[in-house]
C-alpha cells in the first residue's frame, strides 16, 4: 500500500538521522583515541613539558586540573547540597523560593566566558586573589552550582515521604529527621549527580582562561594563590597559539585523549554508580 | 528539648543562607560586570558601541562597535540552529516513539556523551578534521569559517535539544495517541498530527535553551571561525563572535583601559541575550506544565 510505504520510508529516515548522529560521535571518539593513544606513555603522563610543549609531557597540567576540580568540589558541593536540602525540605511555596529557583535557572544559562569575566572582576581583581587556584575554583564553583543543586534535589525527592513522617511521628525534630532519615538515603544520588557537574568543570576552558590558567610554569603550584597549568588550556594553546602548531599535533591528540578520558570517566562512573544505587535502594 | 529546638532553627537558617547564595551570585555577576563596564559609558560614551567596526587597538582612533560582533554571533547562531532543529526533532521522535526500550537505553546516554565532550576538544577536532573537510568540500580559501563553527556548535546543542524534546514528546498523554489510533489514523499520522504538535511548546523551549548554549559557547568559535571582525552574512566567511572577542582579547588588555571596559560591555550584552532566551524558554516550559 502506498501509504504504508510512505510511513516506512519516513521511519527509516528518522532512524538514519539518529544513527548518523551516533556515527558522528563514534567517529570523533575513534579519531581522538586512534591518534592520541600512540602518544600516551608514562613519560607523557608524568613529565613536565619541554621546549614550550613540543616535547616532554603534561604532568603539571594534569595536576593543575586535579587541583581545580578538588577546589571546585570543596566549595560547590556543600553549598549545592545545603541549597537543595533547603529547597526540598524547608522551603514553602512563596516569593522567596520562586526567586531562588529563578536565580538557579539564570545561573545555569550564564555563558562560561561571562563566568570568566565575573571571576576576573570579583575574585582576581576585587578580592585580590590574583589569577590563582582559588579564583579559578571559585569561578568554576559558581558555574557548576546549579547542576549540583538540581541533581541533589532530585535525589532528595526520591526518598519516600513515609520515612520523614515516621521519624517526625516519633518526636524527632525536622533537622534530626533530615540528618538521620533522609540524607543517608539521598547521598548516593546527590554524589552521582554532582560528579556530572564536576566533569564539566574539569573540561571548561573559558572560565579559567582569565582567572587561573597559565601555559607554562616551571614548578608545581604550592599554594592556593598560585597560578596553575590546566589540561583544557594547555590543549587550546598547543592547538592555536603554538608557533609550530602543526608539528605538535601528536601532543595535541595526546592531551585531548587524556582530557577526554578524564571527563568521560567522570560521566561514565556517575552513570554506572546511578544504576548501582538504583538497584540497591528500591522503595 | 530547648537545645534541640535551637539547633533545629540554626540549621534552618544555615540552609536558608546556602540557598540564598544563588541569588547573591546572580546579583554579583550583574554588579561586577556593570562595575567594570561603567567607565566606558562615561568616557567614550555608549554611542561608541554602535560603531560599525571593532578595532580596539589602533594608532589613530580605536573603535569599539559591537555590531560586527553581534552580527557574527547572530550568523553563527542562526546557522547552527538551522542544523540543530531538524536533526534534534528527528532524533527525539525516533527515540521517544519508535526505538525499542533497549535501543533507547543505549541511544540516550550515547548522545549525551556528546554533551560531555569538553568544548576545547571539539574545537580542536574541528580545527584538524572539520575545517579541512569543509575547505575541500566547498573549495574555500580557508576552512576557518562561520559554517565550520556552526556545524560544531550544532553538535554541541543537539544533545540538549534532543533530551528536552524527547521528554516533551514522551509527556504527551497516552490517551491522545490512543484516541488518534482508535480513529484509524496511522502511526505516522498520529506522530505528525497529534504527538509532535502537542509537544511543540516543549520542543520550542528546548530549541531556545539550545540557542542559549550556542550563543554563549566560546572555545569552539574562538578556535574555528577565523575571528575576522567584519559584518557579513556569508556562511563561508570568517566571523568574530562576542564570546571569542572576550576570550581572545581580555588576556592582553591593560587593566582599567577603555578597551578593558568595552570588553565588559560585550559580556554584559551577551549575558542579557542569554538571560532573555532562558527566561522565555522557562516561561514556555512552565506555562505548558513541562517543568520537572
Amino acid at each position: 500500500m502506498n501509504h504504508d510505504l510512505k510511513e516506512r520510508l519516513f521511519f527509516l529516515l528518522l532512524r538514519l538521522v539518529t544513527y548518523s548522529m551516533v556515527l558522528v560521535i563514534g567517529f570523533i571518539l575513534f579519531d581522538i583515541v586512534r591518534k592520541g593513544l600512540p602518544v600516551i606513555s608514562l613519560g607523557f603522563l608524568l613529565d613536565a613539558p619541554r621546549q614550550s610543549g613540543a616535547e616532554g609531557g603534561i604532568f603539571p597540567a594534569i595536576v593543575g586540573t586535579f587541583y581545580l576540580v578538588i577546589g571546585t568540589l570543596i566549595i560547590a558541593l556543600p553549598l549545592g547540597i545545603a541549597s537543595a536540602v533547603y529547597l526540598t525540605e524547608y522551603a514553602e511555596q512563596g516569593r522567596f523560593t520562586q526567586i531562588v529557583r529563578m536565580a538557579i535557572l539564570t545561573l545555569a544559562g550564564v555563558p562560561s566566558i561571562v563566568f570568566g569575566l565575573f571571576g576576573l572582576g570579583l575574585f582576581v581583581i576585587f578580592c585580590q586573589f590574583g589569577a590563582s587556584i582559588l579564583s579559578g575554583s571559585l569561578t568554576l564553583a559558581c558555574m557548576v552550582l546549579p547542576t549540583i543543586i538540581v541533581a541533589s534535589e532530585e535525589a532528595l525527592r526520591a526518598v519516600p515521604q513515609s520515612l520523614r513522617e515516621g521519624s517526625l511521628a516519633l518526636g524527632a525534630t525536622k533537622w534530626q529527621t533530615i540528618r538521620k532519615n533522609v540524607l543517608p538515603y539521598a547521598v548516593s544520588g546527590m554524589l552521582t549527580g554532582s560528579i556530572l557537574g564536576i566533569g564539566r568543570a574539569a573540561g571548561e576552558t573559558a572560565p579559567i582562561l582569565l582567572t587561573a590558567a597559565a601555559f607554562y610554569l616551571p614548578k608545581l603550584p604550592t599554594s592556593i594563590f598560585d597560578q596553575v597549568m590546566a589540561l583544557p588550556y594547555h590543549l587550546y594553546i598547543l592547538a592555536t597559539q603554538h608557533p609550530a602548531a602543526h608539528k605538535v599535533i601528536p601532543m595535541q591528540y595526546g592531551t585531548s585523549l587524556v582530557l577526554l578520558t578524564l571527563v568521560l570517566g567522570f560521566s561514565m562512573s556517575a552513570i554506572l554508580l546511578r544504576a548501582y544505587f538504583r538497584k540497591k535502594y528500591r522503595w | 528539648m530547648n537545645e534541640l529546638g535551637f539547633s533545629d532553627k540554626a540549621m534552618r537558617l544555615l540552609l536558608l543562607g546556602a540557598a540564598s547564595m544563588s541569588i547573591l551570585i546572580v546579583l554579583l555577576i550583574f554588579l561586577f560586570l556593570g562595575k567594570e563596564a561603567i567607565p566606558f559609558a562615561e568616557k567614550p560614551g555608549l554611542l561608541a558601541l554602535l560603531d560599525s567596526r571593532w578595532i580596539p587597538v589602533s594608532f589613530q582612533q580605536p573603535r569599539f562597535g559591537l555590531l560586527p560582533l553581534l552580527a557574527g554571533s547572530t550568523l553563527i547562531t542562526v546557522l547552527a540552529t538551522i542544523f540543530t532543529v531538524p536533526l534534534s526533532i528527528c532524533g527525539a521522535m525516533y527515540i521517544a516513539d519508535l526505538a525499542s526500550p533497549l535501543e533507547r537505553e543505549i541511544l540516550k546516554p550515547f548522545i549525551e556523551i556528546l554533551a560531555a565532550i569538553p568544548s576545547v576538544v571539539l574545537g580542536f577536532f574541528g580545527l584538524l578534521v572539520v575545517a579541512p573537510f569543509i575547505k575541500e568540500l566547498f573549495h574555500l580559501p580557508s576552512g576557518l569559517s562561520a559554517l565550520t563553527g556552526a556545524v560544531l556548535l550544532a553538535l554541541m546543542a543537539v544533545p540538549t535539544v534532543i533530551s528536552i524534546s524527547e521528554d516533551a514528546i514522551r509527556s504527551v498523554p497516552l490517551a491522545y495517541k490512543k484516541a488518534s489510533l482508535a480513529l484509524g489514523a496511522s502511526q505516522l499520522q498520529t506522530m505528525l498530527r497529534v504527538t509532535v504538535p502537542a509537544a511543540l511548546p516543549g520542543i520550542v523551549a528546548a530549541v531556545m535553551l539550545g540557542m542559549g548554549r550556542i550563543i554563549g559557547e566560546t572555545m569552539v568559535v574562538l578556535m574555528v571561525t577565523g575571528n575576522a571582525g567584519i559584518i557579513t552574512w556569508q556562511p563561508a566567511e570568517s566571523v568574530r563572535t562576542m564570546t571569542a572577542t572576550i576570550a581572545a582579547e581580555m588576556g592582553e588588555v591593560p587593566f582599567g583601559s577603555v578597551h578593558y571596559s568595552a570588553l565588559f560591555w560585550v559580556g554584559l550584552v551577551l549575558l542579557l541575550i542569554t538571560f532573555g532566551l532562558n527566561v522565555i524558554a522557562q516561561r514556555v516550559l512552565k506555562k505548558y506544565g513541562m517543568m520537572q
Side-chain angles (χ1 to χ4, degrees):
Chain A
M1 231 167 87
N2 194 10
H3 192 83
D4 205 38
L5 185 71
K6 211 167 89 186
E7 182 167 296
R8 276 217 242 132
L9 277 177
F10 189 77
F11 289 166
L12 188 70
L13 176 81
L14 291 187
R15 171 172 278 185
L16 275 177
V17 170
T18 310
Y19 278 95
S20 61
M21 282 188 281
V22 170
L23 222 62
V24 169
I25 302 170
F27 176 70
I28 296 176
L29 298 179
F30 174 74
D31 185 65
I32 290 173
V33 171
R34 186 176 57 115
K35 294 181 187 149
L37 214 50
V39 185
I40 307 285
S41 65
L42 265 186
F44 183 71
L45 293 175
L46 297 178
D47 267 354
R50 286 190 303 274
Q51 311 208 330
S52 58
E55 279 172 34
I58 53 169
F59 183 63
I62 297 177
V63 172
T65 291
F66 184 70
Y67 282 158
L68 286 171
V69 167
I70 297 286
T72 308
L73 202 75
I74 291 174
I75 301 158
L77 205 56
L79 205 56
I81 290 179
S83 302
V85 170
Y86 180 80
L87 285 173
T88 45
E89 307 294 326
Y90 286 93
E92 292 114 33
Q93 290 301 323
R95 231 340 110 57
F96 177 74
T97 313
Q98 234 174 3
I99 297 176
V100 173
R101 294 213 176 276
M102 187 70 212
I104 293 169
L105 288 172
T106 306
L107 269 190
V110 172
S112 52
I113 188 73
V114 173
F115 275 114
L117 279 182
F118 160 69
L120 177 71
L122 175 58
F123 304 126
V124 176
I125 294 171
F126 186 76
C127 299
Q128 299 190 332
F129 295 151
S132 61
I133 298 179
L134 182 60
S135 298
S137 301
L138 282 165
T139 310
L140 287 171
C142 294
M143 193 187 78
V144 298
L145 192 59
T147 318
I148 295 182
I149 295 179
V150 172
S152 307
E153 268 196 273
E154 226 166 82
L156 287 166
R157 282 217 201 89
V159 177
Q161 202 59 30
S162 56
L163 263 76
R164 298 182 179 86
E165 284 159 0
S167 163
L168 289 170
L170 289 173
T173 65
K174 183 111 183 166
W175 172 242
Q176 285 175 323
T177 304
I178 294 169
R179 197 163 58 99
K180 301 267 164 130
N181 263 18
V182 180
L183 284 181
Y185 304 104
V187 79
S188 52
M190 295 195 287
L191 287 182
T192 50
S194 305
I195 295 175
L196 289 172
I198 295 301
R200 214 185 126 205
E204 274 290 349
T205 321
I208 58 168
L209 204 61
L210 308 172
T211 58
F215 174 59
Y216 181 74
L217 295 168
K219 59 184 179 58
L220 292 176
T222 51
S223 97
I224 55 170
F225 294 105
D226 285 348
Q227 269 192 302
V228 278
M229 293 174 66
L231 284 170
Y233 188 66
H234 193 74
L235 173 60
Y236 163 64
I237 298 287
L238 281 186
T240 61
Q241 314 276 303
H242 197 274
H246 56 279
K247 275 194 196 146
V248 290
I249 284 178
M251 302 300 274
Q252 297 169 20
Y253 267 107
T255 313
S256 289
L257 182 59
V258 172
L259 179 58
L260 203 58
T261 312
L262 200 72
V263 173
L264 292 187
F266 273 121
S267 312
M268 294 294 188
S269 57
I271 290 168
L272 291 179
L273 270 176
R274 192 163 56 192
Y276 169 76
F277 282 122
R278 261 190 202 155
K279 264 188 212 134
K280 195 170 158 197
Y281 295 124
R282 217 164 254 202
W283 313 106
Chain B
M1 187 63 208
N2 229 343
E3 203 176 301
L4 271 179
F6 175 74
S7 75
D8 204 47
K9 279 212 181 89
M11 244 6 258
R12 189 196 156 93
L13 269 179
L14 200 68
L15 295 171
L16 178 75
S20 317
M21 280 304 283
S22 300
I23 306 179
L24 185 68
I25 294 172
V26 171
L27 290 179
L28 285 174
I29 290 178
F30 277 98
L31 187 72
F32 272 85
L33 257 61
K35 175 176 162 281
E36 305 291 326
I38 281 175
F40 189 89
E42 284 167 0
K43 186 65 199 312
L46 287 184
L47 278 179
L49 293 174
L50 298 176
D51 200 326
S52 61
R53 300 295 299 272
W54 174 269
I55 313 171
V57 182
S58 156
F59 288 116
Q60 295 133 13
Q61 171 74 32
R63 296 166 75 177
F64 297 103
L66 294 186
L67 295 179
L69 311 181
L70 263 173
S73 285
T74 310
L75 175 64
I76 290 209
T77 306
V78 168
L79 276 177
T81 308
I82 292 174
F83 299 143
T84 306
V85 170
L87 287 177
S88 308
I89 294 182
C90 287
M93 276 164 76
Y94 183 76
I95 295 175
D97 268 351
L98 298 174
S100 67
L102 178 70
E103 230 181 336
R104 182 180 302 132
E105 288 296 304
I106 297 170
L107 280 175
K108 268 200 104 168
F110 201 79
I111 289 178
E112 272 161 17
I113 285 182
L114 196 50
I117 297 178
S119 57
V120 68
V121 172
L122 216 52
F124 157 73
F125 178 82
L127 202 60
L128 283 186
V129 181
V130 183
F133 176 74
I134 285 186
K135 181 181 165 188
E136 284 284 300
L137 194 66
F138 298 104
H139 305 289
L140 300 175
S142 161
L144 300 180
S145 62
L147 182 66
T148 315
V151 168
L152 287 159
L153 288 179
L155 280 181
M156 293 198 73
V158 155
T160 314
V161 183
I162 285 193
S163 149
I164 302 175
S165 309
E166 199 247 356
D167 284 346
I169 292 177
R170 297 236 284 161
S171 71
V172 172
L174 203 58
Y176 289 17
K177 264 191 242 174
K178 283 188 176 157
S180 167
L181 291 171
L183 286 172
S186 68
Q187 202 185 352
L188 177 65
Q189 286 168 329
T190 306
M191 272 170 84
L192 291 182
R193 306 264 169 87
V194 178
T195 324
V196 172
L200 202 58
I203 297 175
V204 170
V207 170
M208 295 185 72
L209 290 174
M211 282 172 79
R213 263 200 90 177
I214 292 171
I215 206 167
E217 169 45 43
T218 310
M219 298 319 288
V220 166
V221 287
L222 179 61
M223 291 167 87
V224 305
T225 59
N227 294 321
I230 47 166
I231 298 183
T232 176
W233 303 110
Q234 293 295 319
E237 294 220 37
S238 155
V239 293
R240 165 160 228 162
T241 66
M242 295 189 278
T243 50
T245 306
I246 300 173
E249 293 172 11
M250 198 39 126
E252 282 143 32
V253 299
F255 167 69
S257 64
V258 176
H259 185 189
Y260 171 87
S261 192
L263 287 174
F264 274 90
W265 272 105
V266 179
L268 214 49
V269 170
L270 188 62
L271 179 61
L272 290 175
I273 294 174
T274 49
F275 181 63
L277 276 173
N278 272 303
V279 168
I280 300 173
Q282 300 301 344
R283 282 264 161 91
V284 173
L285 281 178
K286 207 172 187 176
K287 188 174 170 197
Y288 292 90
M290 286 170 178
M291 261 322 217
Q292 309 83 341

